[in-house]
Amino acid sequence: MFTKILIANRGEIACRVMRTAQKMGIKTVAVYSDADHGAPHMRQADEAVHIGPPPAAESYLVMEKIINAAVQTGSQAIHPGYGFLSENAQFTQMCKDAGIVFIGPTAQTMQSMGSKSAAKDLMEAAGVPTSPGYQGVDQSLETFRTHSNKIGYPVLLKAVSGGGGKGMRLVTREEDLEEAISSAQREGKASFGDDRLLIEKYIERARHLEVQIFGDTHGNVVHLFERDCSVQRRHQKIIEEAPAPNLPLAVREKLLNAGVAAGRAVDYVGAGTVEFLYDGQDQVYFMEMNTRLQVEHPVSEAITGLDFVEWQLRVAAGENLPLTQEQIHEKGHAFESRLYAENPATNFSPSTGTLTTLRFPNPDETDIRIDSGVEQGQDITPFYDPMIAKIITYAENRKQALGKMRLALRETFVTGLETNTAFLHALSSEKDFIEGHVSTHFIEDHETSLFETVDHQDYPLAAWLLWTLNHGEGNQSEYIQDKTHHQSPWGQLKGWRLNRPNRQVFWIENNNAPTVINLTQKDNLYTITIEENADAQSRRKGADINQPRHFTFSGEMTSTHEASITINHHTQSAFIAPHQKGTRIFINAQHVDILPSNPLSGNSNQAATSGSLNAPMPGNITAILKAPDDTVAAGDTLMVMEAMKMEHAIKAPHNGTVKAFRFDIGDQVKDGDLLVEFEETE
């Protein structure tokens, strides 16, 4: 067995590999970029080596730097994690040439499976069912157009060397094919250094199933059952489970046998995943084989009780697989939710910023597992994947495991940036998902219910007021010039009145609406009068203001960030924490943001609307598709920027004319930079 290994990755997966290696008595070496200096994976390792600037192309993807770090530290093997160099055959060969064991399959296997087109040819020869498509050498537009028409729309363009949804585009009509090809080629080149594409027939409302396999250097190949990864956004998984629900036994047997056959066809060594599409009837189609450990491997670990990283290390050291197929058993059910720094309301666009609050539920060894590589106070940068954590729950049956997932999501609190926590909770609460009726179209088919905001009425406002009163942070204090008399009732801003209940006035932005709150307090009972759309400018102009409404509540802060609020004899718990320029209040996995508002200003704090021509986050410009003075229609793509390993199209918000581009291809842009000067057509 190895005595020291280097993990050529970062974040959650690096920490995950280190836990098992250190449990086995193996020393670990981390690599880190400037952006990851001081990150948890760097501190968890026994040693850490700096490998360059934040961009992955200058650090985590530079093979020579990784090899040199392993040689300098005396590492005997390299674990690639997933992403980055994990499926790079050249890197695998470089490890071998340097006398370092690559913890994964051989370069030859990786080459045969790393190309989706070559993999499909190989699988067809091995008798594994594949979907109709084109995976030829000719990459011309006319060839793609001819084959797409022959296959029949909709078709799916896929980067030949791709994975994780990168370089993948759904095309529903011929008119969109050329732009989709260009976009997929750019993303494939940026993510994998390869702009070649293939075409597959898009099977609508299919299920995405995958088989976990393991092989060793002695010719043994086994499966560790299947996972269902159907629910996706942008062709990337967000919630997975094992085993797959509502799967006929005959289909399951066909699926597992096909997975093992795929592994045997390439003499597979190590952990691998064979991915299939299931048509919902009786047919499964091979899609691709991922020659690495998958993000979702914890759900398979949960139902088998095995440590897949330990298996990887033992196989890489030349040992036999720890168990035979007959010795591998499944028990129970598991779910994994991927907690991302992203905003589902804006097409799941990634979110950057500082994790001012990061709180997970208390883990129970048998019920819940949190795999994370970040911590409170850390920055989520635009340089890497926006995953914050994986939340994994396990129970004896699917219903119980899903119930634990909903509870875990309700007890997960993040502030400082946007996350998909509420969306994941809505998804796991959706009736069809609860019943296991899923497909790759699940989000589109349930868009209304998944994006519906739950109205908790006055509880968030009451929780915010209680938090503010207890923390002495009445937002009106910033408009008081004399703050020296903190010991007097006037200086404390507590609304003190002689022989009368305390009374205070708060000016806030609540759901982007300027709001005035009059609060009267007597003991533990609070009476509130709310005037919405009551900003100072409207008052001066005599504009209509919503009729004031009233309610009374009682409550207490049960901890620094937690409150119990009672309205009309019904009690709710809330979690409150600072968020950007205001405060975020969480109730039952939903959240409400409240911002302070200057009563002397008529400006509101409303966020930029969709269709904005400003950069949604830091990144770099990769394409400009129009020219100054071009007349465009609403929704036309004007330029493309790349950030957080994804392309973001900047589109015309209205019909109009492009006046000027503020940046050129290759330029770095900051969050909020104006990218295009645009004149709307009247």
Side-chain angles (χ1 to χ4, degrees):
M1 181 50 65
F2 311 114
T3 57
K4 181 187 288 188
I5 65 170
L6 181 143
I7 296 90
N9 218 298
R10 63 178 298 280
E12 170 268 323
I13 187 58
C15 294
R16 161 74 188 94
V17 172
M18 289 175 194
R19 283 198 300 273
T20 291
Q22 290 166 342
K23 180 183 69 176
M24 296 173 66
I26 301 171
K27 291 187 179 299
T28 59
V29 179
V31 291
Y32 66 95
S33 69
D34 291 341
D36 282 333
H37 185 270
H41 82 276
M42 174 187 169
R43 301 198 316 272
Q44 184 175 332
D46 297 289
E47 299 176 57
V49 179
H50 176 249
I51 54 171
E58 301 176 45
S59 52
Y60 294 103
L61 289 174
V62 182
M63 291 178 271
E64 293 80 6
K65 290 184 177 181
I66 304 296
I67 297 292
N68 289 339
V71 171
Q72 291 168 9
T73 57
S75 299
Q76 300 154 303
I78 292 178
H79 194 301
Y82 48 70
F84 292 146
L85 299 171
S86 63
E87 295 180 280
N88 188 304
Q90 181 185 352
F91 179 66
T92 304
Q93 187 61 48
M94 287 178 64
C95 289
K96 183 177 180 180
D97 294 343
I100 299 169
V101 175
F102 179 83
I103 301 173
T106 63
Q108 182 180 355
T109 298
M110 201 172 285
Q111 286 173 335
S112 61
M113 289 291 101
S115 166
K116 287 183 172 63
S117 55
K120 285 192 70 174
D121 291 339
L122 188 59
M123 290 301 107
E124 288 175 357
V128 177
T130 62
S131 59
Y134 168 75
Q135 56 261 20
V137 175
D138 188 346
Q139 296 280 297
S140 67
L141 173 61
E142 285 309 311
T143 296
F144 280 131
R145 182 173 282 129
T146 298
H147 282 278
S148 295
N149 287 327
K150 180 181 177 181
I151 296 165
Y153 290 92
V155 298
L156 199 60
L157 297 173
K158 300 173 78 172
V160 166
S161 300
K166 307 295 189 301
M168 188 181 294
R169 297 292 183 273
L170 174 64
V171 187
T172 58
R173 55 180 192 159
E174 185 177 352
E175 297 91 319
D176 299 331
L177 183 64
E178 183 174 1
E179 183 177 339
I181 289 172
S182 297
S183 178
Q185 287 175 332
R186 282 194 304 272
E187 198 165 85
K189 184 71 173 178
S191 299
F192 314 107
D194 187 349
D195 62 1
R196 293 174 300 149
L197 304 176
L198 60 80
I199 310 171
E200 285 183 351
K201 174 63 180 174
Y202 184 71
I203 303 172
E204 296 193 69
R205 286 166 181 78
R207 286 173 63 181
H208 183 136
L209 305 179
E210 59 189 33
V211 180
Q212 175 72 58
I213 66 168
F214 253 96
D216 62 23
T217 56
H218 307 283
N220 301 305
V221 179
V222 300
H223 70 74
L224 293 99
F225 307 103
E226 84 285 353
R227 300 183 284 259
D228 191 309
C229 309
S230 299
V231 181
Q232 307 173 7
R233 75 335 176 223
R234 291 197 307 267
H235 307 293
Q236 193 171 36
K237 307 158 191 172
I238 54 174
I239 189 166
E240 303 98 348
E241 61 179 298
N246 302 329
L247 189 63
L249 290 178
V251 174
R252 189 187 201 207
E253 184 176 356
K254 182 188 299 186
L255 179 76
L256 298 178
N257 289 339
V260 172
R264 292 191 186 282
V266 292
D267 298 321
Y268 198 79
V269 175
T273 298
V274 191
E275 303 199 347
F276 297 86
L277 285 178
Y278 168 46
D279 65 3
Q281 300 298 317
D282 58 3
Q283 191 56 266
V284 293
Y285 300 99
F286 170 84
M287 285 197 300
E288 62 185 5
M289 184 174 184
N290 291 301
T291 54
R292 54 177 167 80
L293 197 65
Q294 290 280 86
V295 175
E296 57 272 21
H297 75 273
V299 294
S300 296
E301 289 184 319
I303 66 167
T304 59
L306 303 173
D307 184 330
F308 289 2
V309 174
E310 180 180 345
W311 276 43
Q312 284 186 296
L313 295 172
R314 294 195 180 282
V315 166
E319 297 181 15
N320 285 296
L321 289 176
L323 298 173
T324 65
Q325 189 69 73
E326 293 72 24
Q327 294 172 316
I328 301 170
H329 305 286
E330 64 168 328
K331 180 182 179 182
H333 205 98
F335 284 91
E336 173 183 287
S337 289
R338 302 190 189 189
L339 178 62
Y340 280 114
E342 65 181 16
N343 189 349
T346 56
N347 195 29
F348 300 94
S349 60
S351 178
T352 58
T354 301
L355 291 164
T356 51
T357 303
L358 180 61
R359 181 177 293 194
F360 296 114
N362 292 325
D364 182 313
E365 289 184 4
T366 60
D367 290 341
I368 186 168
R369 164 177 163 183
I370 306 294
D371 282 10
S372 180
V374 297
E375 59 191 0
Q376 187 166 296
Q378 188 172 339
D379 288 339
I380 300 296
T381 72
F383 300 108
Y384 313 116
D385 187 272
M387 182 185 289
I388 295 174
K390 300 185 307 195
I391 302 172
I392 304 103
T393 58
Y394 170 81
E396 291 184 2
N397 58 58
R398 188 175 187 273
K399 180 179 179 180
Q400 292 175 350
L402 189 55
K404 289 177 181 178
M405 177 59 70
R406 289 193 294 270
L407 177 61
L409 291 167
R410 286 200 301 271
E411 295 179 350
T412 297
F413 307 114
V414 183
T415 66
L417 41 70
E418 301 305 318
T419 75
N420 63 338
T421 312
F423 180 80
L424 289 168
H425 186 270
L427 197 159
S428 60
S429 304
E430 170 60 47
K431 181 176 182 292
D432 282 341
F433 189 85
I434 291 173
E435 295 176 354
H437 302 315
V438 294
S439 77
T440 54
H441 266 260
F442 190 89
I443 292 177
E444 295 91 327
D445 291 343
H446 299 81
E447 187 172 4
T448 301
S449 60
L450 292 178
F451 288 92
E452 184 180 17
T453 301
V454 177
D455 183 8
H456 291 294
Q457 298 178 327
D458 297 315
Y459 288 95
L461 187 56
W464 178 82
L465 286 165
L466 199 61
W467 155 273
T468 300
L469 292 172
N470 277 268
H471 287 75
E473 296 173 355
N475 67 295
Q476 73 275 40
S477 62
E478 64 180 284
Y479 309 112
I480 306 298
Q481 299 300 313
D482 183 6
K483 300 182 181 179
T484 59
H485 304 295
H486 295 301
Q487 301 307 312
S488 72
W490 291 270
Q492 291 181 40
L493 302 174
K494 291 294 186 182
W496 179 84
R497 295 187 296 165
L498 185 63
N499 297 323
R500 299 291 299 276
N502 289 344
R503 183 176 180 182
Q504 298 184 66
V505 178
F506 299 84
W507 302 73
I508 64 170
E509 292 269 352
N510 187 19
N511 290 326
N512 292 329
T515 303
V516 177
I517 303 172
N518 288 277
L519 174 67
T520 302
Q521 176 187 357
K522 186 174 182 181
D523 299 324
N524 195 37
L525 194 64
Y526 304 86
T527 301
I528 295 174
T529 301
I530 303 169
E531 298 177 63
E532 294 176 334
N533 298 323
D535 59 292
Q537 189 173 9
S538 297
R539 287 174 177 275
R540 287 195 297 270
K541 292 181 178 180
D544 289 338
I545 299 171
N546 291 352
Q547 286 294 318
R549 58 188 182 88
H550 315 269
F551 74 91
T552 299
F553 77 92
S554 61
E556 62 175 341
M557 296 297 300
T558 55
S559 71
T560 304
H561 292 276
E562 294 168 304
S564 176
I565 305 295
T566 301
I567 301 175
N568 294 330
H569 306 291
H570 183 74
T571 301
Q572 287 271 26
S573 296
F575 182 91
I576 314 104
H579 173 69
Q580 296 178 355
K581 296 181 179 179
T583 307
R584 176 160 285 183
I585 300 93
F586 297 86
I587 296 179
N588 291 338
Q590 296 285 328
H591 66 258
V592 172
D593 294 338
I594 295 179
L595 298 171
S597 177
N598 187 336
L600 303 178
S601 168
N603 299 325
S604 88
N605 290 307
Q606 293 185 29
T609 59
S610 60
S612 170
L613 297 175
N614 295 71
M617 68 195 71
N620 65 287
I621 303 302
T622 57
I624 295 178
L625 306 181
K626 302 293 181 182
D629 299 325
D630 277 0
T631 299
V632 298
D636 283 356
T637 300
L638 308 181
M639 67 194 311
V640 179
M641 64 175 287
E642 188 273 334
M644 301 185 92
K645 298 170 67 177
M646 284 180 283
E647 278 200 344
H648 303 270
I650 306 302
K651 299 186 177 184
H654 311 283
N655 296 339
T657 303
V658 176
K659 305 305 293 181
F661 289 95
R662 292 287 191 92
F663 296 91
D664 294 323
I665 294 175
D667 285 350
Q668 296 284 326
V669 298
K670 302 188 298 296
D671 184 13
D673 277 348
L674 178 64
L675 304 179
V676 186
E677 293 181 24
F678 186 82
E679 185 175 279
E680 182 181 354
T681 301
E682 294 186 5

